[in-house]
Amino acid sequence: MKTVSCMNINEAILYSAGAEKKQYKKGDIIFRENDYALYYFQIAEGKVKLNNYNDEGKEFIHNILGKYQSFGDSLIFLNEQYPMNAIALTPVEIIRLSKNNFMELLKERPEISLEMNKCLAQKLYYKSLMIHNLASQNPVSRIKGLLDYLKSYHKEDAPYSYLVEITRQQLANLTGLRVETVIRFLKKMEKEGILKIENKKILY
């Protein structure tokens, strides 16, 4: 089973519902932890990371998303605050649609609502698997669980078909491991044929 690449609604449909395109520079904050969800966000260009920080200031990255992916979808249905930040990892163009207009769009086009339900269900499934792996004391299980989760957002299933576009430090932040541990166990995983490293790029 592949994760639906978050929601990817046709741009023309979004604009017809009143969406606007916003541009962000690298490092710009799209929304902050504890903000209320006011928009549906879909990436037209660039990459966005979802993160937060613990009391000691250490960053934890929840996900890194790219073109045609959306984020913060589930909070649209709740009157709750975001549990994380959304930050532009590169220069980013985002299509955003107000919460009220988005809810009207779902009423008018129930097929979009059905796809969103499917997307959210699959994300919950893969996140439960990832949480299980992250609870392991085995660094290989943690790293592999994360890579399985990230690869689930991409079309190809074949071994080594997924180019991991995040840094070793970001892998460490996502898994709660030290970066030195990540580097050491990536080499171990390469020797075991779990992944390949070519020109410092990870292929999974």
Side-chain angles (χ1 to χ4, degrees):
M1 182 189 297
K2 298 299 288 178
T3 300
V4 178
S5 187
C6 296
M7 282 299 294
N8 177 25
I9 302 173
N10 183 283
E11 292 185 9
I13 293 174
L14 291 174
Y15 287 127
S16 70
E20 59 181 350
K21 183 173 282 188
K22 299 282 289 183
Q23 295 185 336
Y24 298 86
K25 296 178 292 185
K26 180 179 178 180
D28 281 354
I29 297 172
I30 300 160
F31 61 71
R32 287 183 170 85
E33 184 177 356
N34 297 324
D35 285 349
Y36 282 96
L38 300 177
Y39 296 96
Y40 167 84
F41 297 98
Q42 186 166 298
I43 304 170
E45 293 288 344
K47 293 184 183 297
V48 171
K49 70 175 177 179
L50 306 179
N51 77 344
N52 53 21
Y53 299 89
N54 65 17
D55 293 338
E56 298 172 351
K58 183 178 179 181
E59 180 184 32
F60 182 84
I61 299 175
H62 295 269
N63 211 337
I64 293 177
L65 301 170
K67 189 173 182 179
Y68 303 133
Q69 293 183 307
S70 61
F71 54 96
D73 306 4
S74 60
L75 271 296
I76 292 176
F77 301 96
L78 303 172
N79 187 30
E80 295 289 347
Q81 298 162 307
Y82 288 115
M84 62 192 71
N85 309 297
I87 299 174
L89 201 55
T90 66
V92 174
E93 289 185 354
I94 289 176
I95 301 170
R96 74 177 194 181
L97 179 64
S98 71
K99 177 178 178 176
N100 289 341
N101 286 9
F102 184 74
M103 299 304 287
E104 287 299 316
L105 176 63
L106 295 186
K107 292 177 184 177
E108 294 170 6
R109 303 188 71 115
E111 72 276 11
I112 294 177
S113 182
L114 184 62
E115 283 299 308
M116 174 164 271
N117 288 338
K118 183 179 178 182
C119 166
L120 294 175
Q122 289 190 352
K123 285 199 290 185
L124 285 171
Y125 171 73
Y126 273 98
K127 280 191 174 182
S128 67
L129 293 181
M130 188 177 73
I131 289 169
H132 175 75
N133 285 313
L134 288 178
S136 171
Q137 296 300 311
N138 183 347
V140 170
S141 294
R142 289 194 185 192
I143 296 168
K144 188 175 185 303
L146 172 63
L147 295 181
D148 284 340
Y149 175 68
L150 295 176
K151 188 174 181 177
S152 74
Y153 282 88
H154 295 263
K155 294 180 180 179
E156 296 297 328
D157 277 321
Y160 318 129
S161 61
Y162 170 55
L163 173 62
V164 180
E165 296 186 280
I166 58 178
T167 67
R168 271 66 167 173
Q169 183 62 62
Q170 289 165 340
L171 276 173
N173 291 344
L174 280 160
T175 55
L177 298 169
R178 292 166 55 88
V179 68
E180 296 84 0
T181 303
V182 168
I183 292 169
R184 184 166 70 253
F185 278 90
L186 285 175
K187 292 177 181 176
K188 182 178 188 297
M189 293 167 73
E190 183 181 30
K191 289 179 181 178
E192 295 174 356
I194 298 173
L195 52 80
K196 286 184 179 179
I197 301 176
E198 296 181 354
N199 299 319
K200 298 184 178 180
K201 299 290 185 181
I202 303 168
L203 301 173
Y204 182 66

